[in-house]
Amino acid sequence: MKILIKNGHVVDAKSGRNGLYDILIEEGRIVEIGNNLEITNGDWIDASGKYVLPGFVDAHCHLRDPGFEYKEDMESGTKSAAKGGFTSIACMPNTDPVIDNQSVVKYIINKAKQEGVVNVYPIGAITKGQKGEELSEIGELKFAGAVAISDDGKPVKSSSLMKKALQYASMFDTTVISHCEDTDLAEDGVMNEGYYSTVLGLKGIPSAAESIMVARDLILAEYTKAPIHIAHVSTELSVDLIRMAKKRGVRVTAETCPHYFSLTDEACSNFNTNAKVNPPLRGKKDVDAVIEGLRDGTIDIIATDHAPHHPDDKNVEFNLAASGMVGFETALPLAVTYLVHPGYLTIEKLVEKMCLNPSKILGLNKGTIEVGKAADLTIIDLNEENTVHVENFKSKGKNSPFNGFLLKGAVYYTLVDGKVVVREKILL
Amino acid sequence: MNLKSKDLLGLKDLTAQEIGHILATAKTMKVVLTTNNKKTPHLQGKSIVTLFYENSTRTRLSFELASKYMSASSANISASGSSVAKGETLIDTGRTIDRMGTDIIVIRHPMSGAPHLLARNVNASVINAGDGMNEHPTQALLDIFTILEKKGKLEGLKIAIIGDIYHSRVARSNIWGLTKMGAEVSVAGPSTLIPPGLEKTGVKVFTTVQEALLDADVVMGLRIQLERQKKGLFPSIREYARFFGLDEKRLKLAKEDALVLHPGPVNRGVELSSGVTDSEHSLINEQVTNGVAVRMALLYLLTRRSGNENTN
C-alpha cells in the first residue's frame, strides 16, 4: 500500500529540511521525499497549506494501565495521543503494579501491540515499588524494553541512593528522569505558594521545593558524570540552575510541559481542581523563565505529563483532588498558541523540542523525516483556531484546565508506521 | 435589595453594598434578639441543616439559635456519627441533605473550598461557617457589625489584626470585608505565620506588634493553635506572648478608646492578657450576641432570596 502526501510544508529538525515537498510512503516506510511525486494507485493526502512534521514524541505520560484502567487504558490513552499528533509515547511507571520489573515492561509492550494505535515505550522505576529504598533491576528493565528510569511522582529522597542510581543506570546507557521535589519542604501543600495560595487559604508548595532538588540532582549528575533528565521544569531558579549546569558540561537535559508556559497559579482560583498538578502551576516570572529556557535551549523538550483522572478523583475538595491534567490533545495547540505565534519558537525549534530531542533522550530511532525510516508523521494546520471541548477528548480523562480556551493550531493527520490513524482531524 | 449569590461562601465575593445590606438587616435582628419574646415567623416553613466536619461550640450554637428564634426547622449533622464517617463524599452527603427539602446548609469543613464544592452541587443555599484556612465570613460579619455598632462607621478606621494570619480564616474574611468597607487594615504576627503576598490584598504587614498597634481604633487578636509550635512555626508560647501578646501596656499604643475583639475562645495570657480580655475595651461578649443577629440576618436574606425567585 502506497501513500503519497502532496504539497505539504515539510519541517525536519535533523536534516534541516524546511520547504514544500511530497513524501512517498510504501510498506510503512518513507521511500522518497521530493517534488512532483506521483502515484497511480494508493492513498493520496493533500497537505497543501499545512505543515508535515515528524510524529510527536512524548517523553512523559501516564497511561494508567495496568491498575487504574478506570482513569485511562492502553486503547484510550494511545488514541488520545494519536489525536494530539503523538506517534511515540513513553509512559511513566506509577502503575499498579509499578513498572519495576521486566514482566510489567513486557505486559505494557504486548498490550500496546494489541490495543495501542501509537508506539508505546515503558519507563521503568528507579527503585522497587517507587519506594525510594532499593534500586530496581535496571539492567533487566532496560533489556526488556524500558527506555529510561524514573520514580516520577515521587522523588528519590536519599541523595546517596540517587547517586547510586545515576552511577548504575549509566552503565546501561539508561537515562534517569528525575521528578524534583523536596517533599519535606513541599509538606502537604496543594498548589504553588504565593499570593493565590494566600487568597484561597490553601497550603502552598514553595518553588524552592523543586529548585533545591534540581540543584541536588545536577550536582550528583556532575559528580557521577551520568546523564540525567529533569522532568517538568516549572520554576525560574530550576531553569537558571540547568542553564549553569549545561555550561559546566553536565550531561543534563530538561523538559517542561505546556501548562508551565501557558498558565499561572491564578488558574486554581475558585478551587478549580483541574488546575491542580504537581509540580504546581507557578507565578508569572516562572512562566516567563520557562519560555526563555525553551527559547535559549536550556529546556530541550516539551512533554505532556498527560495525567488522566476520573471525575470522582477531581470532583472533591481541592486538598483531596488528584494531581495532574490530561495533555495529549492540547499539547500542540498550546505550543503553537503560546510559543510559535508569539515568536518564541520557530516551527523548526518546535519540531526539535517535540520530535527530535525527546527521541534522542530516550534513545529512540524516531522524531525525523528521512528516507528509509518508519513513516511516523503528523500534519498540522498552524493557524486554524478551535475551542477546547473536553467532552470531545479521546482520553477517558476530561481533567483539563483548558476547557473553553480558544487555541490556534490543529492536528489534521497522524500516521504511525505509515498507517493513517487520524484523517482530517478524525480518529479512525 | 437581594444578595446576588444563592450562597454565602466568603466576603471576597461580596460587594460593599451587599455587606452593608447584611449589616443593616442584622441591626433589625438585634432588636428582635434583645426583646423578651425572641420568636419571629420569618423562617416558618424553612429548614436549616448544619453540617459540621469540625468541632465548634459557639458558631454552631449561634446558627442553631438563630434558626430557632426565627421559627425554622433545624437539624444538625456532625462528621462523626453519620455516613460521613463511613467515607461518603461531600457531594453525596450534600445531595442527600438537599433532597430532604433543605433550604440552607450551613457547613464547616477543615478543607478550604469545601463549601464552594457543596454549593455547586446542591439547590439549597450554602453558608460557609468556616472552611480550612480560607474564610469564616459570618465571624467577620459579626466583627464588622460590632465595630460599626460602637464606632458608627468603618471608613478610615485603623484596624490591627494580630497573630497567626497564615492559618486564620477569620483574618482572611476580615481582611476582605474590612478593606471593602474602607477601613485601613494592618496585620502583625511571627514572620512564619504571615502568608506570602498578603500585602497585595491591600493590608499593611508588620513583624512587630507595636507598629501595627500604633493609633489603632480596633485591635483583633486571633487564637493561636498550640500545635503550630510543634510544626516549628514559633519556638514557644512564652516567646509568642512576649513578642505578640496583647497586654495593657501594649494596648496603650492604640487609640485611647480602642476596641479589642477576639473570635474566641481566648488563650488567656497568650494572645490577650486576662487584664485586656476583661477590660472595658474588650467586646468579646458583645461579639457573641452580635453573632446571632448577623446569622439571623443571613438566614433571612438567603431564604427571602430563594422565595423571590420562585414567586416572581
Side-chain angles (χ1 to χ4, degrees):
Chain A
M1 163 81 168
K2 288 183 183 179
I3 303 174
L4 180 63
I5 302 171
K6 285 286 283 180
N7 298 323
H9 186 133
V10 175
V11 178
D12 176 53
K14 192 182 173 200
S15 62
R17 198 186 297 273
N18 186 344
L20 291 177
Y21 292 96
D22 302 336
I23 296 176
L24 182 62
I25 298 161
E26 213 173 318
E27 304 295 326
R29 303 207 159 259
I30 297 170
V31 292
E32 198 176 352
I33 305 169
N35 293 108
N36 304 317
L37 303 185
E38 298 293 341
I39 48 168
T40 46
N41 60 348
D43 193 4
W44 190 87
I45 294 169
D46 177 15
S48 43
K50 304 207 166 43
Y51 282 91
V52 180
L53 312 178
F56 305 147
V57 178
D58 190 11
H60 189 150
C61 71
H62 300 269
L63 294 180
R64 307 295 188 210
D65 188 347
F68 306 99
E69 291 87 348
Y70 74 100
K71 294 176 193 254
E72 191 85 290
D73 60 26
M74 193 56 73
E75 187 188 343
S76 65
T78 56
K79 281 183 170 170
S80 173
K83 189 79 179 11
F86 291 87
T87 54
S88 294
I89 58 177
C91 56
M92 283 294 175
N94 60 339
T95 45
D96 185 20
V98 169
I99 313 178
D100 62 357
N101 63 75
Q102 52 179 334
S103 1
V104 189
V105 172
K106 285 176 180 160
Y107 165 85
I108 290 169
I109 291 172
N110 286 335
K111 190 140 192 218
K113 271 186 195 141
Q114 287 161 17
E115 297 176 14
V117 300
V118 303
N119 303 303
V120 175
Y121 302 94
I123 295 169
I126 300 173
T127 63
K128 289 184 184 121
Q130 291 191 302
K131 290 199 172 92
E133 289 161 5
E134 291 172 54
L135 292 182
S136 49
E137 293 158 337
I138 295 167
E140 289 207 343
L141 286 167
K142 162 97 181 179
F143 282 94
V147 292
I149 55 166
S150 178
D151 274 1
D152 184 57
K154 292 175 183 174
V156 177
K157 203 168 170 178
S158 157
S159 302
S160 167
L161 190 61
M162 190 61 171
K163 171 174 166 277
K164 287 162 193 150
L166 287 162
Q167 284 176 320
Y168 191 85
S170 71
M171 171 171 72
F172 293 106
D173 275 328
T174 296
T175 298
V176 175
I177 302 177
S178 179
H179 166 111
C180 293
E181 182 182 8
D182 179 332
T183 48
D184 285 337
L185 196 50
E187 285 186 274
D188 47 356
V190 292
M191 67 175 288
N192 183 49
E193 181 170 88
Y195 172 71
Y196 288 100
S197 65
T198 293
V199 165
L200 292 165
L202 290 169
K203 185 78 190 292
I205 301 171
S207 61
E210 174 180 310
S211 308
I212 282 177
M213 214 55 151
V214 168
R216 183 202 74 170
D217 286 349
L218 292 172
I219 291 166
L220 290 174
E222 175 167 318
Y223 188 77
T224 57
K225 301 186 175 60
I228 191 164
H229 177 72
I230 308 293
H232 42 52
V233 170
S234 75
T235 81
E236 182 191 25
L237 185 51
S238 299
V239 176
D240 281 351
L241 288 164
I242 294 161
R243 190 177 287 124
M244 182 186 78
K246 285 191 164 183
K247 277 193 192 132
R248 291 175 63 91
V250 179
R251 295 169 69 193
V252 57
T253 52
E255 83 190 24
T256 192
C257 313
H259 39 280
Y260 300 120
F261 59 69
S262 58
L263 289 179
T264 66
D265 50 1
E266 189 180 358
C268 298
S269 295
N270 211 14
F271 303 97
N272 180 6
T273 55
N274 283 327
K276 184 178 176 185
V277 60
N278 194 21
L281 300 173
R282 306 284 186 185
K284 177 76 171 67
K285 75 179 171 57
D286 297 299
V287 171
D288 291 344
V290 164
I291 292 172
E292 179 55 23
L294 282 163
R295 210 190 56 75
D296 75 3
T298 302
I299 299 176
D300 306 89
I301 71 168
I302 297 165
T304 65
D305 198 358
H306 176 79
H309 287 295
H310 191 273
D312 288 349
D313 302 322
K314 284 288 191 183
N315 210 3
V316 292
E317 295 86 331
F318 197 93
N319 289 35
L320 302 180
S323 287
M325 47 184 75
V326 288
F328 288 141
E329 293 168 72
T330 48
L332 185 269
L334 287 168
V336 167
T337 306
Y338 290 90
L339 300 174
V340 178
H341 278 292
Y344 298 120
L345 290 187
T346 59
I347 186 85
E348 297 91 327
K349 282 285 168 192
L350 185 70
V351 166
E352 205 178 291
K353 288 177 199 298
M354 290 187 72
C355 311
L356 185 62
N357 289 349
S359 173
K360 275 191 201 164
I361 290 165
L362 299 173
L364 312 176
N365 188 22
K366 298 284 180 189
T368 63
I369 300 178
E370 284 177 81
V371 171
K373 286 244 180 126
D376 290 352
L377 299 167
T378 297
I379 303 176
I380 67 162
D381 185 309
L382 203 58
N383 296 308
E384 185 180 299
E385 283 190 322
N386 289 291
T387 302
V388 178
H389 292 294
V390 293
E391 65 274 16
N392 295 338
F393 285 173
K394 297 299 167 190
S395 170
K396 286 187 188 177
K398 311 299 175 196
N399 50 306
S400 169
F402 300 107
N403 192 32
F405 276 47
L406 184 64
L407 300 175
K408 281 186 180 172
V411 173
Y412 264 73
Y413 282 82
T414 307
L415 283 79
V416 182
D417 286 322
K419 185 171 176 253
V420 180
V421 182
V422 173
R423 177 183 283 275
E424 290 290 330
K425 301 201 281 185
I426 292 165
L427 184 87
L428 301 179
Chain B
M1 75 175 272
N2 283 331
L3 299 179
K4 262 181 272 163
S5 167
K6 88 173 163 72
D7 312 294
L8 179 81
L9 301 176
L11 297 195
K12 186 169 55 196
D13 320 311
L14 292 187
T15 62
Q17 204 192 2
E18 286 177 300
I19 294 173
H21 184 52
I22 296 167
L23 297 174
T25 313
K27 201 172 170 183
T28 316
M29 293 303 171
K30 192 167 180 184
V31 176
V32 175
L33 188 61
T34 44
T35 58
N36 264 333
N37 183 11
K38 289 187 276 291
K39 198 76 173 175
T40 78
H42 290 118
L43 295 186
Q44 216 159 42
K46 299 291 179 189
S47 95
I48 320 281
V49 170
T50 63
L51 173 60
F52 274 48
Y53 290 79
E54 267 185 354
N55 291 334
S56 155
T57 309
R58 66 186 69 206
T59 304
R60 186 167 202 157
L61 185 60
S62 184
F63 270 110
E64 201 175 334
L65 289 175
S67 337
K68 292 207 154 90
Y69 293 157
M70 300 173 82
S71 310
S73 313
S74 66
N76 305 308
I77 303 170
S78 298
S80 56
S82 70
S83 56
V84 171
K86 295 174 196 156
E88 189 178 52
T89 66
L90 177 61
I91 293 177
D92 287 345
T93 304
R95 284 181 183 153
T96 304
I97 298 169
D98 202 34
R99 281 309 184 97
M100 292 187 186
T102 307
D103 297 287
I104 296 183
I105 303 174
V106 179
I107 180 174
R108 168 167 289 193
H109 199 286
M111 293 174 194
S112 302
H116 307 66
L117 177 70
L118 179 67
R120 284 197 289 269
N121 287 281
V122 296
N123 293 318
S125 293
V126 172
I127 297 180
N128 180 0
D131 64 324
M133 311 191 294
N134 179 39
E135 286 224 38
H136 190 352
T138 60
Q139 175 69 44
L141 285 169
L142 76 87
D143 292 339
I144 296 169
F145 181 85
T146 307
I147 297 167
L148 185 62
E149 198 178 43
K150 292 292 168 191
K151 295 287 184 190
K153 60 162 189 174
L154 294 161
E155 186 98 33
L157 286 188
K158 294 181 82 168
I159 317 247
I161 306 178
I162 312 294
D164 177 359
I165 312 295
Y166 187 96
H167 296 95
S168 179
R169 53 198 179 203
V170 176
R172 280 182 181 74
S173 282
N174 266 303
I175 287 169
W176 300 125
L178 287 166
T179 51
K180 275 177 203 210
M181 301 308 282
E184 286 174 36
V185 180
S186 299
V187 305
S191 45
T192 44
L193 294 173
I194 302 286
L198 190 64
E199 59 289 339
K200 277 205 240 170
T201 61
V203 306
K204 288 187 190 135
V205 179
F206 297 108
T207 45
T208 73
V209 71
Q210 287 84 358
E211 287 168 284
L213 286 178
L214 202 63
D215 284 330
D217 295 287
V218 179
V219 184
M220 266 185 211
L222 298 173
R223 183 174 164 79
I224 189 104
Q225 302 284 342
L226 304 182
E227 66 265 20
R228 310 282 181 221
Q229 184 188 325
K230 289 196 201 87
K231 291 198 122 188
L233 290 161
F234 59 93
S236 69
I237 287 292
R238 205 178 77 88
E239 177 150 319
Y240 178 84
R242 173 168 168 190
F243 290 98
F244 293 99
L246 191 65
D247 58 18
E248 292 91 326
K249 190 165 160 245
R250 279 197 182 139
L251 192 56
K252 290 205 167 71
L253 291 167
K255 292 215 175 93
E256 211 175 317
D257 59 348
L259 310 176
V260 174
L261 278 74
H262 190 290
V266 179
N267 292 307
R268 285 175 179 255
V270 185
E271 308 102 53
L272 305 182
S273 68
S274 272
V276 169
T277 309
D278 302 327
S279 71
E280 78 278 11
H281 295 281
S282 164
L283 291 171
I284 295 170
N285 295 324
E286 198 65 28
Q287 284 175 275
V288 175
T289 310
N290 292 339
V292 181
V294 161
R295 286 167 183 127
M296 286 168 76
L298 281 170
L299 294 174
Y300 172 69
L301 291 171
L302 289 175
T303 48
R304 208 171 83 102
R305 187 187 174 279
S306 58
N308 278 1
E309 265 181 356
N310 292 340
T311 50
N312 291 354

